[in-house]
């Protein structure tokens, strides 16, 4: 018995659950790498956040939400991952989204730790591609009001910049979206002052190998990035899917955080169909970490096929 207690104490110290009355401690460093063509893709975990799926999902029956979650051994609120993705090319180190940083009251802000654990420093990042300007994607840009990534150029769709950086638009959104305005303005402020923000319009190559595709709905300028390396492709789709268990089975299900719920559903169906048809890798901001995988059809819906775990990329 004494030996078991000592072993349990050691496992507890290492964050391993050994009994119902022993709480799971912190996980290990939140990064995962894969090789895509000649590029290296590293998923970075900024944190997890309790997500009340049954309250926030729309255009889907609440009992169906509960049933789908239960089938995957889940219940609302679901712990949603806040993922960002680092792409290392021969010339650049590109970060797609930055997590929530300090804006989610302790649920986020772990991206810098994951970045360091993966062998990189914030000053190594040359470019940041933002899928949109919601708090859980821009909050990681700053630390104590200053640029966390001092060398990086921030790229963002002009439509999103025009909307979220103008307080005059606050009257056009429901209350749930109001915090997005100060989150975007405060997070981008030091980069704008330094001249480190570049906007783009429409479908375009923002960098060699990084193609921006407008996907409006979740926000006015919500953007996918199709990353190409050789014959391989990765679609970083931002907030196309928030609760995979429900929205892949029911692609018409939107969420109260969508600026335009119907347009978001149209974009989601397009992303799912293209990813399934073309075999793209997908980098998903809110699918369970590492959020890297593929999409395949399943009847009238789709299934998430996570990356097969590999110890080295």
């Amino acid at each position: 018995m004494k030996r078991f207690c000592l072993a349990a104490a050691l496992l507890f110290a290492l964050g391993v659950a050994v009994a119902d009355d022993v709480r799971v401690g912190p996980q290990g460093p939140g990064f995962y790498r894969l090789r895509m063509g000649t590029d290296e893709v590293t998923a970075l975990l900024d944190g997890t956040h309790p997500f009340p799926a049954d309250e926030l999902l729309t255009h889907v029956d609440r009992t169906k939400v509960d049933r789908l979650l239960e089938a995957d051994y889940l219940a609302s609120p679901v712990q949603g991952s806040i993922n960002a993705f680092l792409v290392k090319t021969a010339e650049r180190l590109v970060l797609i989204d930055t997590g929530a940083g300090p804006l989610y009251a302790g649920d986020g802000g772990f991206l810098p730790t994951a970045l360091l654990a993966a062998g990189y420093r914030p000053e190594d990042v040359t470019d940041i591609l933002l899928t949109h300007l919601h708090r859980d994607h821009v909050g990681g840009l700053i630390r104590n009001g200053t640029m966390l990534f001092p060398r990086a150029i921030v790229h963002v769709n002009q439509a999103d910049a025009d909307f979220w950086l103008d307080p005059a638009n606050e009257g056009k959104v429901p209350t749930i979206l109001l915090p997005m305005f100060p989150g975007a303005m405060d997070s981008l402020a030091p980069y704008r002052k330094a001249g480190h923000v570049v906007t783009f319009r429409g479908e375009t190559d923002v960098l060699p190998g990084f193609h921006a595709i407008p996907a409006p709905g979740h926000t006015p300028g919500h953007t996918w990035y199709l990353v190409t390396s050789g014959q391989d492709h990765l679609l970083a789709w931002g907030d196309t899917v928030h609760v995979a268990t429900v929205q892949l089975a029911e692609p018409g299900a939107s969420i109260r955080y969508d600026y335009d719920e119907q347009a978001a559903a149209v974009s989601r169906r397009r992303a799912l169909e293209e990813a399934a048809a073309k075999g793209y890798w997908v980098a998903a901001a809110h699918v369970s970490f590492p959020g890297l995988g593929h999409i395949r059809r399943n009847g009238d819906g789709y299934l998430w096929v996570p990356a097969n775990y590999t110890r080295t990329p």
Side-chain angles (χ1 to χ4, degrees):
M1 181 68 177
K2 182 177 180 180
R3 182 177 298 174
F4 173 81
C5 291
L6 289 172
L10 176 59
L11 290 172
F12 178 78
L14 294 174
V16 178
V18 295
D20 289 343
D21 60 340
V22 178
R23 299 189 63 186
V24 176
Q27 307 289 5
F31 74 91
Y32 179 78
R33 296 188 228 271
L34 64 79
R35 179 66 60 181
M36 192 194 73
T38 59
D39 294 346
E40 177 192 83
V41 178
T42 304
L44 301 170
L45 181 65
D46 187 61
T48 63
H49 184 67
F51 195 86
D54 54 346
E55 298 175 10
L56 293 178
L57 288 170
T58 63
H59 304 286
V60 61
D61 186 83
R62 189 163 179 166
T63 59
K64 177 166 280 190
V65 171
D66 291 338
R67 187 165 66 250
L68 288 168
L69 291 175
E70 184 179 4
D72 277 0
Y73 301 94
L74 297 170
S76 189
V78 179
Q79 283 292 322
S81 292
I82 306 172
N83 303 321
F85 302 92
L86 191 70
V87 183
K88 181 183 179 182
T89 72
E91 297 83 21
R92 289 181 167 86
L93 189 63
V94 181
L95 180 62
I96 303 176
D97 288 333
T98 68
L103 301 184
Y104 265 31
D107 288 338
F110 301 98
L111 184 145
T113 301
L115 183 70
L116 291 171
Y120 299 103
R121 302 169 300 168
E123 54 266 35
D124 296 332
V125 176
T126 60
D127 298 89
I128 296 172
L129 309 185
L130 296 175
T131 58
H132 61 295
L133 296 186
H134 278 183
R135 296 191 305 160
D136 53 329
H137 297 257
V138 303
L141 282 169
I142 60 174
R143 176 179 286 174
N144 299 322
T146 63
M147 294 189 294
L148 179 61
F149 305 95
R151 294 182 55 232
I153 300 298
V154 178
H155 304 258
V156 62
N157 189 305
Q158 184 70 57
D160 243 41
D162 288 344
F163 192 83
W164 299 107
L165 300 179
D166 184 354
N169 291 319
E170 292 180 1
K172 301 177 182 179
V173 304
T175 302
I176 197 172
L177 290 176
L178 288 177
M180 305 305 176
F181 288 94
M185 288 184 273
D186 292 347
S187 298
L188 279 171
Y191 293 86
R192 297 174 76 190
K193 183 178 180 179
H196 282 213
V197 177
V198 174
T199 59
F200 59 86
R201 296 181 184 273
E203 185 167 345
T204 186
D205 290 331
V206 293
L207 296 169
F210 295 81
H211 188 70
I213 303 172
H218 183 59
T219 66
H222 186 260
T223 299
W224 304 328
Y225 295 101
L226 184 63
V227 184
T228 299
S229 182
Q231 300 301 310
D232 295 334
H233 305 275
L234 177 141
L235 183 66
W237 72 15
D239 278 9
T240 296
V241 169
H242 287 81
V243 186
T245 291
V246 177
Q247 290 178 293
L248 296 190
E250 297 286 336
S254 288
I255 191 170
R256 299 192 192 281
Y257 285 106
D258 290 335
Y259 172 75
D260 183 332
E261 295 179 8
Q262 290 186 336
V266 170
S267 291
R268 180 165 42 259
R269 289 184 184 278
R270 180 160 60 101
L272 292 169
E273 182 58 29
E274 288 190 13
K278 298 181 179 180
Y280 291 155
W281 278 105
V282 172
H286 298 305
V287 170
S288 187
F289 182 77
L292 292 168
H294 292 88
I295 294 294
R296 69 175 177 86
R297 295 182 188 87
N298 182 43
D300 293 332
Y302 300 86
L303 287 175
W304 175 256
V305 183
N308 187 46
Y309 185 85
T310 307
R311 188 178 64 85
T312 55

